[in-house]
Amino acid sequence: MGPTRLQDVSKRYGTTIALHPTTVTLGPGVVGLLGPNGAGKTTMLRLLSSAVAPTSGRIVVAGHDITGGHGERVEARRHIGYLPQEVVFPRGMTALGFLDYIAVLKEWKRTDERHREIRRVLDLVRLGDLGTRKVARLSGGQRRRLAIAQALIGAPDLLVLDEPTTGLDPEQRAALRGLLGGHAGTVLLSTHQTEDVSALCDRVLVLDGGRVRFDGSVPGLLATADGQVHLGPAAATGAVQTWRTGTGLIRSVGGVPGPGSRTVDPSVEDAYLLLRAAPVGGHEVPS
């Protein structure tokens, strides 16, 4: 159906620029979206989900222009699955009832097909035996998996996920990584869990101040921090961040290392911290 594309897309809320003009093309695979609070991540996700309209620019999903007329926007939405950061569940519904409600909203009109799809996504998130349980009786992690299930209905070409691993334990996070890694379309996930990015993503976008600061592969992001992370008995002078590790040595990100320190391989978190500390334009990679 073609890639997802933002062409010169921007978003303002009054005098606040949430997203500066941005051009990004997203093909198949898993793309991690990193950035501090207020960086514009949720705005980008809401724009791609068609929940809000851009101030300027054009967004195309599966060959349909979200920013076009009503018919194009409706067609685009058929190819999008969206998980917001907070999901409000209607009171009194079972897990099956909630998914049935969402599937009806997505215009699954044939009851037999709709129920088969609901069972499929419940099994994907390992809630197949809890379909008749009231949502109010599910644990926080189970409700989060149910919210993920509704985004998976119809195997969408574009899956837009805002902090999908919030509330999941390590085993559940690992299972979700396996699920998303097998998705045939494009997955764009916003996360503060840098280990999810390193374990799962083919590509990473870093947003800061409503601008794309980095767009490339995970190895490419790691390469920006080569030689700048050290482990030693004392913190490096002028380091961006330091902390004591379980070995008793201090890990320093950036700065000038002291005697007895050694260079270690950077993590995604290290590279992200250095990128955030660099002057705008210092480490930017054009889209």
Side-chain angles (χ1 to χ4, degrees), residues 29-49:
V30 184
V31 182
L33 186 60
L34 292 175
N37 293 332
K41 303 188 304 298
T42 294
T43 294
M44 179 179 282
L45 298 186
R46 296 188 73 202
L47 287 165
L48 281 166
S49 72

Side-chain angles (χ1 to χ4, degrees), residues 180-259:
L180 297 180
H183 189 76
T186 300
V187 180
L188 178 64
L189 65 94
S190 172
T191 180
H192 286 104
Q193 303 287 343
T194 53
E195 63 266 32
D196 288 340
V197 174
S198 58
L200 178 61
C201 296
D202 310 292
R203 177 178 169 191
V204 59
L205 296 173
V206 178
L207 276 181
D208 196 0
R211 300 180 189 274
V212 176
R213 293 288 305 275
F214 180 90
D215 179 2
S217 66
V218 172
L221 178 60
L222 294 174
T224 67
D226 279 347
Q228 299 185 70
V229 184
H230 303 90
L231 201 61
T237 303
V240 172
Q241 290 286 350
T242 64
W243 61 89
R244 188 175 298 278
T245 68
T247 65
L249 296 176
I250 295 176
R251 188 181 183 95
S252 299
V253 181
V256 179

